[in-house]
Amino acid sequence: MLSRTAADLFWTGRYLERADFICRLVDATARLASLPSTYGGDPTAWAGALAAVGVADAFAASGAEMSEANVAPFLTIDPANPSSIRNCLERARGNARAVRTALTLEAWENLNGAWHEVERFSGPNLSRARAGELVETVRRAVLAFDGSAHRTMLRDDAYWFLQLGAAMERADNTARLLDVKYHLLLPRDEPVGGSLDYFQWATILRTVSALTAYRWVYRDTVKPWLVADLLIFNTQMPRSLASCYDELVELLDHLGRGSGRRGPATRTASAVQHGLRNTNIEAVFASGLHEFIGRFIADNNKLGSAVAEQFLF
Amino acid sequence: MRIRVHHATSYDYQFPAEGVVQALRMKPSDHEGQRVVHWRLDVDVDGLLRERRDAFGNWLHIFSADQPVTSLTLRVTGEVEVRDTAGVVRGAIERFPPGVFLRVTDLTTPDATLRDWAAETEPGETLARLHALMGRLHDDMSFDTAATNVATPAPEAFAHRRGVCQDYAHIFIAAARTLGIPARYVSGHLARPETDAQDAAHAWAEAWAEDLGWVAFDAANGVCANESYLRVATGLDYLDAAPMRGARRGGGAERLSVAVHARDAGFQRQD
Amino acid sequence: MADSFDEMNGWAGSGPRAAYGDVRRWLDETPPEILQTRRAQAELLFRRTGITFSVYGDADGAERLIPFDLVPRVLTGTEWARLERGLIQRVEALNALSADLYNGQEILRAGVIPPELVSLNPQYQLAVAGHVPPKGVFVHIAGIDLVRTGPDDFYVLEDNARTPSGVSYMLENREMMLRLFPDLLQRSQVAPVETYPDLLLETLRSVAPERHDGDAGIVVLTPGPHNSAFYEHSFLADKMGVELVEGADLFVRDDRVFMRTTEGPRRVDVIYRRIDDAYLDPLFFRPDSTLGVPGLLTAYLAGNVAIANAIGTGVADDKAMYSYMPEVIRFYSGQEAILPNVPTWRCREAEHLAYVLDHLPELVVKEVDGSGGYGMLVGPHSTKAQIEIFAQKLRAGPERFIAQPTLALSTCPTLCDSGIEPRHVDLRPFVLTGARGVKVVPGGLTRVALTPGSLVVNSSQGGGTKDTWVTG
């Protein structure tokens, strides 16, 4: 496969995954920020959301005041924010369009259709209701794209590169969320269920669509260290770091199968997977959650470079 | 005169540049007025260097680097025996009839001002007209290294009446062609007595006079080429005869430095 | 318009033509409201496929959808046989001309063409003078624009020997007709066009330079998704099953061309390029081009890659050269042109100039290097004063002009809002030349001027397209 085609598919996968993540982040943050402060309502919630997407500096540079009225449009439709949902979708579509024939008609039409819908949301004063609609539209579109790709695409390099981008981005998103919120997850002596942080934990779980999953897995009330465990180590949970790396290793194996070639991406991914399998949440807390997450983000970035190197992007 | 040339060109890239390819027209060819004694081209990074003749018969080297590079230096050393032929160039490789050199290129498309200015050249014999054209251009223009760049078309430089040797050559060529006289661009070296390195090679023009053939005019200096002029490459305009044209992927910003020494080998034997 | 030849009804009063028997019966038998329903259905289907069209264009792609008319344009097998011979003869001449102009220039020495037509033509690429492309083929894909003025009167209006486009519409139009009216097509015994992608692939494969390690690598080189014809580029690559590449996907190493793939560099032997000469290689042509491949020219000159069409074929298809094509055909084949040119007066020649000046009110006068209708006089539509001013321009610089009669293009029945009406049409057949000869897919792209009376078939000016049938 042409390297550019592979790269375009990889980035299509990444941008769609990012758009989906920001959708859930905006949704969960709006919910948290709207709680009365006596119930854990957090005036800094939006700042946290910006940090989790990695655009805090870009927002600060815009000079706008930190408020939902400013941050929500920034994260959703602002063309000036390279990681706004709108821009993510535009880039996903732009990348897909350049390699249109590598996708099936169904997958392409879902993506193209979603982009034309999102184009209709514009203007600086996006009402809360409109923002909600936008988020809902994009979430549905990403689900429809994934579904059509899953149902109609050949299981060949095109499909694997699309999934590879998505899995890498998913790992990055979960890690960033943990990085921003890690202080809330550190074990403390607080009365179970009585903490105001409960709503923060719930927000984290909502952002990775795992509030219900948590209860099924742990059959327990929301406890911060279990939230951390779920997001890092639980292999049933598709957005956990461990799941993402299991998937990445498998995808890289698929990609290597045809040519029999092994390269830096294969090695990096196996090393990270190995690292995740040989530790647990207690050990991570003992050695420092923040440091652990920092190392993971660096490793994941390294894998990004290794993929580009191995497949000549 | 025996002209000795030392020529170093260095590129520095902000990031490693991939797929660096350079098309180099740096090696002179023989004609009746010049004979290459020796000539050497060296590149300081690993790669392939291939030599061939281009469409105009110039020596062309294509260099492609093996690996991404952050810097690249091309070094030319050579010696050429040149004699004064009063600007007449005979015995050079000619691949096209003179009529081809009436073509207009992007860099030499005249505007109305340049056309009118050229038309004011006194009627007469071709050679006399060319001398008149050169004289007028030399008088009307001022040498100025800040006014133009390598991509400046003739009419733009002419509008400012400022420019470097490349602009003089382009304007001269554009004007001669509007008078129906075939003209072409020459890149080369002008041997200078001073010891300081120049930051560019030289350029001038050749025009076709029926009885004499190609005659070289250096409007920037107001003279026909003599034994101080080492002719390297020729073409319709700068782009055909440029000493270097390169391409690369990535690499970010580029810094280019050029140091050219061209001088009388008999004048200064110690190097 | 009253004195135009109609493809279905012939000359006014002459009665219907046999070629359209099935189509006429179909039009007669089908109630108008059903036709309109079919038209709406076609539009709907096309809009759906149209998603496919528009997605490739920019955000305004939907507007660029070229209207499709469902009444086919029909040519009989006999008519086509003559056209085909004429097209093959003409394209052979275009190839012979290109080959000669870049190697030997016998035609110039014979005085058939004025040398300045070549030496001063920027489309004559000095960089490839003396080069013989692989298998000696220059014009692999040609689009020859034909017009008709009577039952047996076809003229060549223009040669396209660079990167002619439109073949994807020819193929898509047929698919649409097959979907809408399968019975009608079967009844009429319409020759298929769907072999075009295979023929194109075969043509490209046949000119691959010899090498003994592996299959020929063939690619379609596009300027990218922002190009208005990107749809066609990706369509053709897809149908041929070859990679659609951009300049940055290719690189040149040791005078050989490779593409960057996820499994390492892969050799490229044939490039079907949809990029103009000037943008192919920034080292030798426009230095600001980001669409090309640095060093491609040296690989080409080394004979290691075939480029279709060859670099420099633009010299063979420009307006000034066009007027010499009958002489060019005679010079290389010793035969008269089967398909005549539209009569053209070259104002550079005194006798021609005198005729043109005397007949300005009935002629179309064009600037040799003009395009897009600028610097043009349409005699029948001009005032006396305009003609007088133009006559002065003509006397001042006659070599810059050619003149042609105003042609009464044939009309073809076309479904309009008010029903079936005649509209002017032209025809662009696509002619392929490989190492083993010349091939033409029966038919081509019929363009139709949808505005009543208009002779302008260009899609940018309200033109549409029709399926073109060669029957029997």
Side-chain angles (χ1 to χ4, degrees):
Chain A
M1 168 177 279
L2 212 54
S3 294
R4 177 177 50 84
T5 307
D8 280 338
L9 289 164
F10 177 83
W11 284 105
T12 301
R14 276 203 89 147
Y15 280 120
L16 278 179
E17 186 66 33
R18 190 174 301 173
D20 184 49
F21 172 71
I22 300 170
C23 281
R24 279 180 277 104
L25 181 68
V26 168
D27 216 25
T29 308
R31 202 176 155 127
L32 177 65
S34 65
L35 284 174
S37 54
T38 44
Y39 288 90
D42 181 359
T44 67
W46 287 103
L50 287 168
V53 185
V55 292
D57 290 347
F59 181 80
S62 76
E65 194 196 330
M66 182 72 72
S67 67
E68 178 174 343
N70 290 330
V71 179
F74 183 77
L75 285 174
T76 49
I77 56 160
D78 197 336
N81 169 13
S83 283
S84 68
I85 293 173
R86 181 189 190 283
N87 278 345
C88 287
L89 211 63
E90 181 170 14
R91 286 175 195 213
R93 175 188 177 267
N95 281 293
R97 181 167 167 264
V99 294
R100 161 66 190 84
T101 51
L103 295 173
T104 54
L105 186 64
E106 289 85 352
W108 162 251
E109 279 180 352
N110 271 311
L111 181 48
N112 193 46
W115 162 242
H116 284 303
E117 275 188 59
V118 168
E119 258 190 320
R120 295 206 312 266
F121 294 86
S122 62
N125 301 313
L126 192 70
S127 70
R128 195 162 188 164
R130 287 288 282 166
E133 267 177 61
L134 171 67
V135 163
E136 198 45 42
T137 303
V138 175
R139 286 175 65 167
R140 279 176 197 279
V142 175
L143 286 172
F145 177 84
D146 281 354
S148 54
H150 175 78
R151 283 187 173 268
T152 60
M153 282 182 74
L154 289 176
R155 293 306 189 261
D156 64 2
D157 286 6
Y159 186 76
W160 309 133
F161 275 113
L162 199 59
Q163 302 303 322
L164 190 72
M168 270 197 63
E169 182 66 26
R170 200 175 303 136
D172 188 59
N173 289 334
T174 302
R176 280 174 181 282
L177 184 67
L178 284 166
D179 193 38
V180 173
K181 306 280 188 181
Y182 79 94
H183 56 277
L184 298 166
L185 300 176
L186 298 176
R188 267 170 294 178
D189 298 325
E190 281 193 56
V192 172
S195 168
L196 290 183
D197 282 345
Y198 169 83
F199 297 100
Q200 292 277 8
W201 305 329
T203 301
I204 297 171
L205 289 172
R206 262 196 200 97
T207 306
V208 294
S209 353
L211 190 51
T212 316
Y214 176 93
R215 302 203 202 277
W216 279 101
V217 172
Y218 298 101
R219 304 197 178 270
D220 198 347
T221 53
V222 179
K223 293 190 176 107
W225 56 91
L226 292 181
V227 172
D229 182 61
L230 180 72
L231 264 56
I232 297 172
F233 293 110
N234 191 289
T235 50
Q236 291 168 281
M237 154 70 191
R239 289 194 169 76
S240 74
L241 305 185
S243 281
C244 289
Y245 265 79
D246 284 350
E247 193 181 338
L248 284 167
V249 168
E250 200 182 311
L251 288 166
L252 287 163
D253 282 348
H254 280 305
L255 285 167
R257 201 162 291 153
S259 62
R261 282 165 71 110
R262 286 287 183 276
T266 330
R267 287 193 294 277
T268 308
S270 310
V272 176
Q273 182 192 40
H274 200 68
L276 286 167
R277 282 184 178 172
N278 286 317
T279 183
N280 58 35
I281 196 69
E282 287 75 22
V284 166
F285 279 124
S287 65
L289 176 62
H290 190 222
E291 293 72 12
F292 173 84
I293 296 299
R295 272 199 308 280
F296 178 86
I297 291 175
D299 284 344
N300 199 46
N301 287 340
K302 213 189 304 167
L303 179 61
S305 318
V307 165
E309 189 190 334
Q310 181 167 338
F311 300 105
L312 304 164
F313 283 7
Chain B
M1 183 190 288
R2 185 173 273 226
I3 299 177
R4 182 174 294 174
V5 176
H6 286 262
H7 185 172
T9 305
S10 297
Y11 292 92
D12 283 290
Y13 307 108
Q14 193 179 358
F15 312 110
E18 284 179 54
V20 170
V21 192
Q22 295 279 337
L24 309 167
R25 290 180 181 82
M26 296 182 145
K27 180 177 170 179
S29 301
D30 290 355
H31 61 82
E32 282 183 12
Q34 76 182 27
R35 189 178 63 84
V36 179
V37 180
H38 70 84
W39 199 267
R40 217 188 134 63
L41 175 65
D42 287 303
V43 189
D44 73 341
V45 303
D46 294 346
L48 275 171
L49 186 65
R50 296 246 165 170
E51 183 178 85
R52 53 162 65 85
R53 296 273 183 187
D54 74 3
F56 294 94
N58 304 309
W59 279 121
L60 169 68
H61 289 86
I62 301 283
F63 174 77
S64 44
D66 286 341
Q67 298 290 326
V69 295
T70 49
S71 73
L72 172 71
T73 299
L74 305 157
R75 228 175 272 283
V76 165
T77 53
E79 238 173 71
V80 179
E81 194 74 56
V82 184
R83 68 186 178 84
D84 191 353
T85 58
V88 177
V89 179
R90 287 210 189 98
I93 295 177
E94 299 293 352
R95 292 272 168 89
F96 301 109
V100 162
F101 296 94
L102 286 168
R103 266 196 200 194
V104 167
T105 66
D106 288 348
L107 290 173
T108 59
T109 307
D111 60 357
T113 314
L114 182 49
R115 212 184 280 275
D116 292 346
W117 180 85
E120 287 162 25
T121 312
E122 268 186 57
E125 294 283 322
T126 303
L127 191 64
R129 296 193 92 189
L130 289 167
H131 275 285
L133 196 63
M134 173 171 72
R136 291 176 60 214
L137 188 55
H138 183 63
D139 292 345
D140 286 6
M141 292 271 294
S142 311
F143 194 88
D144 182 346
T145 54
T148 57
N149 60 52
V150 290
T152 306
E156 195 183 317
F158 188 69
H160 300 115
R161 300 290 196 279
R162 295 182 166 274
V164 297
C165 53
Q166 173 182 327
D167 304 302
Y168 281 85
H170 279 155
I171 297 167
F172 182 88
I173 291 164
R177 288 177 188 163
T178 69
L179 299 177
I181 305 170
R184 64 191 183 190
Y185 188 94
V186 183
S187 74
H189 299 285
L190 171 56
R192 303 168 211 250
E194 57 268 46
T195 49
D196 285 351
Q198 310 288 311
D199 56 8
H202 197 47
W204 57 94
E206 286 172 4
W208 179 260
E210 295 83 2
D211 306 331
L212 290 168
W214 290 106
V215 184
F217 294 88
D218 179 8
N221 291 304
V223 296
C224 281
N226 53 35
E227 80 271 13
S228 300
Y229 285 76
L230 163 52
R231 182 183 189 272
V232 177
T234 179
L236 287 170
D237 63 18
Y238 164 78
L239 287 172
D240 287 336
M244 298 161 293
R245 284 178 69 170
R248 61 188 160 96
R249 302 205 309 148
E254 167 186 294
R255 220 180 51 226
L256 173 66
S257 61
V258 180
V260 183
H261 294 263
R263 41 185 181 250
D264 185 349
F267 185 81
Q268 198 166 38
R269 289 220 171 268
Q270 61 267 37
D271 56 41
Chain C
M1 209 163 103
D3 51 4
S4 287
F5 173 78
D6 188 78
E7 303 261 341
M8 182 164 83
N9 297 313
W11 296 110
S14 73
R17 298 178 62 241
Y20 277 76
D22 289 326
V23 172
R24 242 172 55 85
R25 215 166 305 124
W26 167 67
L27 287 175
D28 287 346
E29 284 167 4
T30 318
E33 63 274 12
I34 298 285
L35 276 181
Q36 293 293 359
T37 312
R38 286 296 203 176
R39 183 191 182 197
Q41 195 187 346
E43 219 175 281
L44 201 74
L45 271 167
F46 243 109
R47 205 176 292 279
R48 240 184 62 197
T49 318
I51 297 168
T52 329
F53 277 95
S54 60
V55 292
Y56 296 105
D58 286 333
D60 61 334
E63 280 88 58
R64 279 210 235 126
L65 239 168
I66 299 180
F68 167 70
D69 180 64
L70 48 86
V71 184
R73 192 261 185 91
V74 186
L75 297 164
T76 63
T78 323
E79 285 169 343
W80 176 252
R82 181 173 151 249
L83 290 185
E84 188 179 34
R85 274 186 293 121
L87 290 165
I88 291 173
Q89 180 195 48
R90 191 156 182 117
V91 171
E92 280 175 347
L94 286 170
N95 266 303
L97 175 65
S98 307
D100 186 23
L101 291 180
Y102 286 101
N103 296 279
Q105 306 197 326
E106 277 177 42
I107 197 163
L108 300 188
R109 280 187 275 130
V112 177
I113 302 172
E116 62 270 23
L117 229 54
V118 176
S119 61
L120 294 187
N121 188 336
Q123 295 299 331
Y124 182 75
Q125 299 294 353
L126 301 175
V128 296
H131 177 67
V132 181
K135 319 288 173 175
V137 182
F138 280 78
V139 183
H140 308 79
I141 301 110
I144 308 293
D145 290 350
L146 302 176
V147 294
R148 183 180 206 178
T149 59
D152 298 312
D153 306 308
F154 288 88
Y155 293 94
V156 176
L157 187 65
E158 205 174 296
D159 303 299
N160 296 282
R162 297 175 220 186
T163 54
S165 64
V167 77
S168 57
Y169 293 97
M170 173 184 91
L171 296 167
E172 292 281 31
N173 288 354
R174 176 62 55 82
E175 288 304 311
M176 179 58 66
M177 291 302 282
L178 279 168
R179 199 167 345 168
L180 287 175
F181 311 110
D183 297 346
L184 180 62
L185 269 108
Q186 199 194 5
R187 238 188 350 258
S188 300
Q189 296 283 297
V190 179
V193 292
E194 67 194 39
T195 52
Y196 182 84
D198 279 346
L199 286 177
L200 178 59
L201 180 62
E202 188 44 43
T203 300
L204 296 173
R205 194 174 279 151
S206 77
V207 296
E210 305 289 337
R211 81 184 158 87
H212 304 285
D213 48 345
D215 286 344
I218 297 172
V219 297
V220 176
L221 175 61
T222 173
H226 300 293
N227 186 275
S228 59
F230 181 72
Y231 167 70
E232 180 156 304
H233 308 161
S234 105
F235 175 90
L236 288 173
D238 199 31
K239 295 282 175 207
M240 288 192 288
V242 306
E243 295 287 356
L244 177 67
V245 303
E246 296 176 20
D249 297 325
L250 302 181
F251 67 97
V252 175
R253 186 90 194 121
D254 198 12
D255 287 348
R256 286 171 176 82
V257 184
F258 297 90
M259 63 177 146
R260 294 171 220 280
T261 79
T262 52
E263 285 157 28
R266 220 168 82 204
R267 183 80 184 271
V268 172
D269 305 275
V270 184
I271 301 175
Y272 176 25
R273 50 85 175 237
R274 298 292 296 254
I275 292 180
D276 291 343
D277 288 351
Y279 295 91
L280 277 179
D281 183 345
L283 285 186
F284 294 92
F285 302 108
R286 285 184 67 134
D288 55 346
S289 168
T290 53
L291 305 175
V293 186
L296 180 59
L297 181 74
T298 58
Y300 179 63
L301 293 177
N304 290 333
V305 66
I307 296 179
N309 289 349
I311 297 176
T313 53
V315 69
D317 78 353
D318 93 326
K319 240 180 251 170
M321 194 62 83
Y322 162 83
S323 71
Y324 290 92
M325 277 310 288
E327 288 94 322
V328 168
I329 290 171
R330 200 178 305 131
F331 181 77
Y332 293 113
S333 71
Q335 293 165 357
E336 291 305 306
I338 298 168
L339 295 172
N341 265 17
V342 176
T344 302
W345 289 274
R346 294 187 284 261
C347 304
R348 60 162 62 236
E349 293 170 25
E351 275 173 45
H352 287 197
L353 178 64
Y355 178 89
V356 171
L357 287 170
D358 281 352
H359 295 83
L360 278 180
E362 61 206 58
L363 298 176
V364 178
V365 190
K366 299 172 180 169
E367 238 171 317
V368 168
D369 51 1
S371 65
Y374 294 104
M376 189 167 139
L377 176 84
V378 183
H381 299 163
S382 301
T383 63
K384 265 199 146 133
Q386 285 170 323
I387 289 178
E388 192 40 51
I389 292 169
F390 208 86
Q392 286 170 16
K393 269 169 67 178
L394 206 48
R395 287 192 196 94
E399 70 284 350
R400 284 172 39 227
F401 296 93
I402 57 158
Q404 294 174 334
T406 320
L407 292 181
L409 300 194
S410 63
T411 56
C412 185
T414 300
L415 185 60
C416 304
D417 291 336
S418 46
I420 302 287
E421 290 184 31
R423 290 288 184 269
H424 293 291
V425 292
D426 78 350
L427 175 65
R428 173 179 289 184
F430 295 91
V431 185
L432 299 173
T433 306
R436 287 181 282 282
V438 187
K439 292 220 167 70
V440 197
V441 170
L445 179 66
T446 292
R447 296 187 295 179
V448 51
L450 294 173
T451 317
S454 168
L455 297 168
V456 184
V457 295
N458 297 54
S459 57
S460 56
Q461 308 198 33
T465 65
K466 285 170 170 290
D467 191 16
T468 310
W469 292 5
V470 174
T471 57

